[in-house]
Amino acid sequence: MAPVPLLSFLVDSPSAHRDLASARDALDRGAMADAAGHLAGALTSAPTLPEIHELLSRLAATAGGGLDLFPAEPYEPVGHAVARAHLLAAAGRPEDGLPLLAQASGSHPDLDWAGVPWVSDPALGARVDPGLLARTIMRLCTAVGDPAPVETVSPLRHYLTVIRNAVAAHGEQAMLLGAGSALARRLGEVRLAVEWAGRGAKAQPSKLGEIWLGYAYRSAGRMPEALAALRRAVAYDPDDLSVYADVAATLADLDRLDEALRWTELALERDPDFDCVVHTAHRLRYRADGDVGHLVALADFVRDHPDDAHEHTDLEECCRETPWLGGMPAGAPLPAGRAPVNAEPSADAVRRLLRVATTNWAHPPAAYDRALGLVLVEPWELLALLAHPSVTEARQPTGLEVWACLGLLHHGSEEPWLDSSRRRLLLGLLDGGLDRVTQAALFALITYAWVDPEARADVAAVVAGRLSETASGPSARAVAELALAAPGLDRPTRELAAATIRVPAIPRQRGRIVWRRFTPKRGSNPR
């Protein structure tokens, strides 16, 4: 086994050195199984540390090459599998070891599992079967996301080297080039992604080849060419509705929103529950008219379809940086407000509130879910927290009042909404002028309307009444921002809220649709 250059290791830790010392001692004593366990542990925190690979070389020199110490097992620890990969490479079978490293990279993509000489050796590219490498890379793409997080890009680039070497050795293999394009795109190598996808589509024209090419063109900002490739993909398989969503997203990015919506409608006529199309359709409808009802409908769909084939971010992207949909609005803070309970909350209650509090959230249902841990704080303590110094003395928005009120939603959740104690408590907090407590209580009511359709008419009436009371007062804008986040408001009330904060009733979103919603869930086929 070739030694790993000292400069190649990126991760080091005291635990790795402790495991390394224990492994060396076990090897000197002939306790091979103990040595194997410690080496597997060291690899999990410092996978390219040269001293670890020196000891693996000692194992590789034993009878059987040390492979019997790391037998394949279901649900094996990652260090165990990585050690077997290196020993396979030492035994002259690097093509069998590479999928194990890729599996480790999929589980922990921020660690440099593949930063070893045998991975970058051109001989590996010549030995590995192109189909096997393509499948390995596709599984890796499924795991790392699109785009890959910035901290994972450098460790994953080693796999691009393997693909380059394999392409040089095997020529125009369409699946390998397409899978390579998908990985290059995730790592920000857009020119390489376009090149490989184009070569793959030319070598073997197919629906998947055109999809890979369309995605590569999108990443490069070449929208007309992306649209043309995706239309060709539809021609190959008119029944693949996910491509209709792709075409719609691309048309929207070209500001051809009416055409984009027609593509979603055409697909929904065939299957009204096809997840990619449903997400795209609701997003584009919201982009067209700004009605939050489209996002509420999307949240309902997500709740009712937990096993969708892909992970989508449409709801989060639409809510981001929108007052109350994605977090507390910016601006001068309101007065602290009163708490209805004059008592001292426990230190544990304060800790739990501080643990969940944040001024941002993905969308209202996510905020509701985040507050679940506050079910362990008694309702009277949540109310008392509204008068705690950490809340009342804050000069900038902290979100503490919001989370105390959201916590109330998780108490007595078995009670029918209209007769529930949680509704009664929150309505009680609305008394008086607008302050941070009444604002938080109103948002909690709106949040509950997002997660429980049966509460929507009631909450909409409360919000409409509050907006009418404050329409000409100094707190009108604060209430209007909340109203625009509320499900079920009638059109005149929404228009009043929009006019109150002096924004167009039909806002126009100009940003590109983020394609991460098409990131497959683990085990599905990536694109």
Side-chain angles (χ1 to χ4, degrees):
M1 179 179 297
V4 179
L6 183 61
L7 292 179
S8 70
F9 76 88
L10 302 177
V11 182
D12 197 359
S13 72
S15 63
H17 285 290
R18 286 194 297 270
D19 276 320
L20 188 63
S22 298
R24 184 177 289 110
D25 177 68
L27 275 175
D28 292 341
R29 293 186 285 105
M32 307 302 281
D34 288 347
H38 288 298
L39 284 175
L43 281 167
T44 61
S45 52
T48 57
L49 190 64
E51 292 89 338
I52 298 174
H53 291 268
E54 290 171 6
L55 296 187
L56 283 172
S57 296
R58 290 176 60 180
L59 290 182
T62 62
L67 287 169
D68 57 320
L69 297 170
F70 300 97
E73 299 173 351
Y75 311 111
E76 62 187 340
V78 64
H80 186 103
V82 169
R84 187 165 71 257
H86 293 307
L87 293 175
L88 284 167
R93 299 162 55 192
E95 67 277 12
D96 294 331
L98 184 66
L100 298 175
L101 291 190
Q103 183 178 344
S105 293
S107 299
H108 305 279
D110 55 325
L111 292 180
D112 193 18
W113 302 105
V116 290
W118 65 265
V119 171
S120 58
D121 188 344
L124 173 59
R127 290 180 61 100
V128 69
D129 174 78
L132 172 63
L133 180 56
R135 292 190 295 274
T136 298
I137 296 302
M138 290 167 70
R139 285 192 293 269
L140 181 59
C141 289
T142 299
V144 302
D146 186 5
V150 64
E151 67 273 11
T152 71
V153 170
S154 181
L156 295 173
R157 287 190 190 277
H158 304 294
Y159 297 100
L160 292 181
T161 299
V162 180
I163 298 168
R164 284 190 180 96
N165 291 334
V167 169
H170 298 288
E172 306 296 274
Q173 299 285 331
M175 290 298 290
L176 178 57
L177 288 164
S181 173
L183 181 60
R185 185 179 78 239
R186 285 162 167 78
L187 301 184
E189 298 281 355
V190 292
R191 289 185 180 179
L192 185 60
V194 170
E195 176 193 341
W196 279 349
R199 289 167 60 181
K202 183 178 180 180
Q204 184 179 340
S206 67
K207 177 187 75 171
L208 188 54
E210 295 293 353
I211 291 174
W212 273 324
L213 182 57
Y215 279 32
Y217 278 139
R218 279 190 60 97
S219 295
R222 297 163 63 173
M223 294 301 164
E225 292 159 293
L227 180 61
L230 293 170
R231 286 182 182 273
R232 291 193 296 269
V234 172
Y236 276 108
D237 184 1
D239 295 325
D240 186 348
L241 301 185
S242 64
V243 188
Y244 286 58
D246 294 349
V247 171
T250 307
L251 285 166
D253 284 343
L254 289 166
D255 285 330
R256 294 158 62 177
L257 191 55
D258 290 341
E259 289 180 73
L261 287 169
R262 284 198 293 273
W263 274 85
T264 63
E265 291 162 3
L266 181 62
L268 291 174
E269 288 175 3
R270 297 189 177 198
D271 184 352
D273 291 327
F274 194 86
D275 61 324
C276 290
V277 179
V278 171
H279 282 256
T280 302
H282 283 307
R283 180 176 188 135
L284 296 182
R285 291 166 185 167
Y286 178 68
R287 175 171 168 174
D289 63 17
D291 187 348
V292 76
H294 301 306
L295 303 186
V296 176
L298 178 54
D300 290 346
F301 182 85
V302 172
R303 183 188 62 245
D304 296 338
H305 298 79
D307 298 323
D308 286 346
H310 295 84
E311 294 178 359
H312 301 270
T313 61
D314 295 78
L315 183 57
E316 179 179 354
E317 293 293 331
C318 288
C319 291
R320 183 172 296 162
E321 298 181 1
T322 302
W324 295 111
L325 294 182
M328 295 181 65
L334 295 168
R338 298 177 296 104
V341 173
N342 185 18
E344 181 66 24
S346 66
D348 179 68
V350 175
R351 282 194 299 271
R352 291 183 183 278
L353 180 64
L354 293 174
R355 191 178 301 150
V356 302
T358 176
T359 57
N360 297 294
W361 43 85
H363 41 71
Y368 176 83
D369 291 341
R370 184 177 176 86
L372 178 60
L374 295 174
V375 73
L376 299 175
V377 180
E378 292 295 331
W380 71 265
E381 285 196 286
L382 290 171
L383 295 173
L385 282 166
L386 296 171
H388 193 271
S390 62
V391 174
T392 59
E393 296 176 6
R395 293 184 177 272
Q396 296 296 327
T398 61
L400 295 175
E401 298 97 342
V402 165
W403 294 98
C405 290
L406 289 173
L408 292 172
L409 294 174
H410 293 283
H411 288 272
S413 57
E414 74 285 353
E415 300 170 349
W417 171 248
L418 291 178
D419 299 321
S420 66
S421 58
R422 59 193 187 282
R423 176 180 182 272
R424 175 177 52 80
L425 290 172
L426 289 169
L427 290 178
L429 294 176
L430 295 181
D431 293 339
L434 190 73
D435 52 40
R436 297 204 307 254
V437 170
T438 55
Q439 183 186 51
L442 193 58
F443 175 66
L445 289 167
I446 290 169
T447 298
Y448 192 75
W450 274 72
V451 300
D452 184 356
E454 294 185 1
R456 286 175 189 166
D458 174 60
V459 171
V462 172
V463 172
R466 194 67 172 176
L467 180 64
S468 177
E469 293 169 3
T470 61
S472 58
S475 58
R477 180 184 179 90
V479 176
E481 287 179 331
L482 281 161
L484 289 178
L489 290 189
D490 57 53
R491 185 175 181 84
T493 303
R494 286 196 301 109
E495 291 176 344
L496 173 61
T500 299
I501 58 177
R502 297 182 177 87
V503 298
I506 303 178
R508 178 81 170 175
Q509 293 182 332
R510 300 287 296 180
R512 286 180 57 185
I513 291 182
V514 178
W515 277 39
R516 282 175 290 180
R517 66 181 180 279
F518 299 124
T519 299
K521 292 187 177 180
R522 288 182 180 271
S524 60
N525 190 22
R527 291 180 170 179

